[in-house]
Amino acid sequence: MQAFARSNRCASSTLKAAVESNSWQRFGCGPLLEPQATLIHRAIEAQAIARPHAIAAEHQGRSITYRELNRQANRLAATLLEQGVMADDHVALFVERSIPMLVGMLAVLKIGAAYIPQHVGVTPAAQLRHILAVANVRVVLTLAKLAPALPLTTAQKCIALDAFISADSVAADERNIGSAASSPDSVCFVLFTSGTTGQPNGVRVTQRNVCNILLTAPGNLGMRPGLKVGQILNIAFDMSAWEVLGCLAHGATLLIRGKDIAQTAERCDVLIATPSILATLDPARCTQLKVVALAGEPCPQPLADRWSAFCTFYNACGPTETTIVNTMQHYRGVGPLTIGKPTPNNTVYVLDEAGQLCAPGEPGEMWAGGDCVTAGYLGNPELTAERYQPDPFLGHGRTMFRTRDLARWTADGELEHLGRVDDQVKVRGFRVELDSVSAALESTPNCERAVTLKLDSRHLVAFVYPPTTDIDVARSRCAERLAYYCVPSLILAVEAIPLTSRGKVDKRLLLEWAVAHQAQDACAEQSVTA
């Protein structure tokens, strides 16, 4: 494998040449659009100038205007510079959801540094310690109540954002800091994802990456002044940047949730979520919603049908390494539910095992190219070289990323998601795609959600929701649609599908439930035999 060469310049001319010279680009190339800004904080600053008294964010009865958000961020940016933070440095943002959190994000961006968001109380202390070391962090932004519990060294400076804001006695400063500190290639934030070695990997997301998805349609989700956007996701999750930066860059009002997600969702015009989170909400109580965007997991068809009936509904896909999402479908409640087409200035290649392009209808692995491709992993050149490769289709030093998602092009040029390479398992010597089994189970009347997992080398286990789902009918649906070895040996109807802190299915906990159920059945059998 060739080493990763970082190059992220002048995408539109390269993409244009590719469109003109390669027929495959009629499917694989997103439209060419120019983002309205090249630095995401400049778009936020423009909102502060255009509508200074508009409410930028609300949280637990408190609010902040765009003017005040920008002013406080300028103050903090000046303080960070005094503390020796420079462009391209890393600043830890170890917080809880709050208005001060927004001030910290914006201030770091203003000086050309990158923030590293983590939700204290959710992220284990050992992981925070690992992040601080790998990112060479010298300044940590947090909240006063959280500071004593942080695993800091004597070399690390801690600033309590809420205390900093409360201590403000300076007249308003309308200047914008760091006019020359950032470029489109500057890293905007670093998101730590679960790693295969047990330690999280830090994905370096650039200004160009962020502006490309948030400041073009459909990624902008129609956000605009006067609309309310929910902030319900874990701030360490890449989709939270869609909520926060997307909202603020378009002059909307960010509703930062407390403990009750539903209470916030019911007040929103725009909601970004995982399918697992959306499935916990009642559509009848969310009548104000105008736009819903889902990503992070496969979306069940019944869920898409239910919500697309009354609002603009997007089903999207993309790992952190391709900047939030790089494909989107506007699903209108008719036709197949897919993950759509490449977003603007991006490309998608469906390749076979030899690295050759697959024809429409042929399954293969998705590789992503264009402006979505991030700047690699922090401090891990070996993994970067493995997953980020020179793009032979765009050329000109461009890079493509191996997503590990399986897909095929439909006849009308949309991508049908076929699961993860990691979700292809061997059962009784046969290859099984777990998502296909779940989709068959979800065709059962009244079944809203199904999750299928490999229990051991010979057995699959599936979980269906709601608990009233007819398990016999569900098993029959699998037997009708799939090979015999794809039919789960155990199907459990559950009261709820458990979620991780990032709003995805907690597969580890589900497997523990399955093992416990087996043990309970074994004990019952022994009792009967005795």
Side-chain angles (χ1 to χ4, degrees), residues 68 71-72 75 162-173:
E68 183 65 5
R71 190 180 74 84
Q72 293 289 359
R75 289 185 59 237
D162 45 351
F164 176 86
I165 293 171
S166 297
D168 177 24
S169 61
V170 182
D173 183 355

Side-chain angles (χ1 to χ4, degrees), residues 5 22 38 48 181 193 198 236 245 286 302 320 341 402 433 457 529:
N22 296 287
T38 58
T193 63
L245 299 180
C286 298
T320 301
K341 301 179 179 183
R402 185 179 188 181
E433 293 177 356
S457 63
T529 304

Side-chain angles (χ1 to χ4, degrees), residues 345-377:
N345 309 314
N346 292 325
T347 56
V348 172
Y349 320 113
V350 179
L351 306 181
D352 61 21
E353 293 182 357
Q356 300 300 307
L357 291 164
C358 294
E362 293 181 359
E365 187 174 342
M366 283 197 296
W367 288 70
D371 278 1
C372 67
V373 181
T374 51
Y377 298 108

Side-chain angles (χ1 to χ4, degrees), residues 18 25 53 97 126 128 244 335 373 398 402 439 475 501 509 528:
Q25 288 286 8
H53 303 296
R97 294 180 194 88
L128 294 178
V244 176
V373 181
R398 299 307 296 262
R402 185 179 188 181
R475 183 174 284 107
S501 63
L509 182 56
V528 171

Side-chain angles (χ1 to χ4, degrees), residues 15 18 94 113 125 135 138 161-162 169 171 179 191 211 318 336 381 402 436 487 498 511:
L15 288 171
F94 291 176
R138 291 183 292 110
L161 293 167
D162 45 351
S169 61
S179 59
L191 295 173
C211 290
R402 185 179 188 181
S436 297
V487 179
L511 282 175

